[in-house]
Amino acid sequence: ELYLKDLDAKKKNALHKLNVNMVNLFKLDMKDYYFTVDSTSKRLHTLLTKIKKELRPFITYENTQLANLDIQSSQPFLSLCLLDPSFYNTELKQERISINSIDPQLTETLPIQTIASYVLANQSKFESYRELVFNDFYTGMAEILKQHAVTISDDKKIIKDMMYMVLYSSNKFLGGNQGLPKRIFKQMFPEVYEVFKMYKSAGQEKLPILLQKIESSLILDRAAKTIAKAEPGMPLFSIHDSLVVDAKKIAFCKEVIKRESIKYLGFEPKIHVDVWGAPHT
């Protein structure tokens, strides 16, 4: 069905996408599992992260129904760390996140002290961005863009892709129609934009890589580890900013993710729960 949709949309890579998706399913069927940890972002890549999102809900584990728990608006949520003065404090206890603990090399390539001073001086001006993130970032940004006469789809993936462009594209990318959403973001949240701009001053990849490192540290090193110790033997898998768990353990696992986030980042995420298909009878 997905292949036929791609053909209808006249996508040139439709057959290639079909083959890639089929190969991943064959590997799952043959129990040909693998994992690698990305040395750059520290993300864990597995067969589960490779399988298309629409196909994952059909997966069970030893006839156990699974559920996916993911952090709502995860990248904007994690970006709140960069707006917190404590992130730049080198004297914090080990359990609280800091720029030194997450990516000490960044302090050699970026003007961290300048960023830290700017963040401290503009705390009150970050509030509207924080509120947007804690409510529903992508829906909120879509509304803002519509108010500025930007034609935008209601498809959440399209909105997400547009916002990734706004947050992660080069500092030089501001002109033309394509740069309009970014110019609007800059107009609405100038101080937040400035912080992100400073992070990308040594290369546009610096910001997304830093946020992915924060993500993997929270999800893998803390939440997953805590759950695994408390529930040994329970199916537990990560898909970047989310954990896949036994559907009977949703409440406990949600609580762990929230508790670890408060302890490590200093604020609580909203967790979206997606219960996958019923187990086979």
Side-chain angles (χ1 to χ4, degrees):
E1 286 175 7
L2 295 169
Y3 171 60
L4 293 176
K5 281 181 184 176
D6 282 347
L7 284 182
D8 287 341
K10 293 185 167 46
K11 291 188 177 178
K12 292 180 181 178
N13 63 342
L15 184 59
H16 175 70
K17 282 173 67 179
L18 172 67
N19 288 332
V20 168
N21 289 327
M22 291 298 288
V23 165
N24 286 330
L25 294 182
F26 286 140
K27 284 184 174 182
L28 183 69
D29 187 43
M30 294 185 291
K31 298 179 171 55
D32 180 10
Y33 309 130
Y34 69 90
F35 71 90
T36 58
V37 177
D38 186 329
S39 60
T40 302
S41 67
K42 307 301 181 188
R43 275 183 157 186
L44 177 66
H45 301 278
T46 66
L47 190 55
L48 200 55
T49 64
K50 292 275 187 183
I51 287 175
K52 197 162 179 61
K53 187 177 183 179
E54 291 88 340
L55 303 177
R56 293 177 193 146
F58 298 96
I59 298 171
T60 55
Y61 177 86
E62 293 185 349
N63 206 33
T64 298
Q65 188 170 19
L66 300 173
N68 187 51
L69 313 182
D70 74 291
I71 295 173
Q72 186 174 298
S73 307
S74 65
Q75 297 299 298
F77 172 76
L78 296 170
S79 77
L80 295 178
C81 292
L82 315 185
L83 308 178
D84 188 336
S86 69
F87 187 64
Y88 306 94
N89 187 347
T90 56
E91 297 173 7
L92 280 174
K93 290 181 182 177
Q94 191 71 30
E95 66 179 4
R96 188 69 182 269
I97 191 172
S98 71
I99 186 75
N100 285 338
S101 67
I102 206 75
D103 197 339
Q105 290 178 324
L106 265 185
T107 58
E108 298 168 13
T109 57
L110 289 175
I112 293 299
Q113 284 310 312
T114 303
I115 298 172
S117 299
Y118 187 85
V119 165
L120 187 61
N122 287 282
Q123 278 303 294
S124 62
K125 293 173 182 174
F126 298 145
E127 274 313 303
S128 55
Y129 178 74
R130 288 193 185 103
E131 283 176 22
L132 186 65
V133 171
F134 284 130
N135 288 322
D136 186 340
F137 180 77
Y138 295 116
T139 303
M141 275 306 305
E143 284 304 312
I144 289 170
L145 292 172
K146 284 175 184 175
Q147 288 166 14
H148 285 78
V150 176
T151 305
I152 188 166
S153 164
D154 289 328
D155 185 328
K156 199 156 188 179
K157 185 182 184 310
I158 293 173
I159 298 169
K160 267 189 172 184
D161 288 345
M162 182 179 283
M163 289 319 302
Y164 284 160
M165 179 277 293
V166 168
L167 298 175
Y168 300 150
S169 61
S170 163
N171 289 334
K172 295 176 182 176
F173 183 80
L174 270 171
N177 286 336
Q178 279 189 307
L180 180 58
K182 192 172 178 180
R183 294 197 300 276
I184 293 169
F185 182 87
K186 182 181 180 182
Q187 178 188 329
M188 295 296 297
F189 310 106
E191 292 80 17
V192 176
Y193 179 88
E194 187 61 30
V195 173
F196 295 164
K197 181 181 175 183
M198 285 191 277
Y199 269 99
K200 293 185 288 185
S201 63
Q204 69 187 75
E205 75 286 351
K206 299 293 183 185
L207 181 59
I209 288 173
L210 177 61
L211 294 179
Q212 286 170 6
K213 283 183 175 180
I214 296 171
E215 167 201 281
S216 60
S217 187
L218 171 64
I219 296 295
L220 291 174
D221 299 340
R222 284 161 178 78
K225 187 179 285 186
T226 302
I227 292 169
K229 284 180 179 177
E231 294 287 345
M234 182 192 78
L236 175 63
F237 313 100
S238 70
I239 306 178
H240 303 321
D241 62 352
S242 66
L243 288 176
V244 179
V245 303
D246 183 338
K248 297 187 186 74
K249 304 286 184 180
I250 289 173
F252 168 72
C253 295
K254 266 181 76 175
E255 188 55 38
V256 170
I257 295 171
K258 287 183 177 182
R259 192 170 66 238
E260 290 298 322
S261 180
I262 293 168
K263 194 193 306 180
Y264 185 51
L265 307 182
F267 32 83
E268 181 179 321
K270 284 185 179 177
I271 308 292
H272 176 260
V273 178
D274 182 18
V275 179
W276 287 0
H280 305 297
T281 54

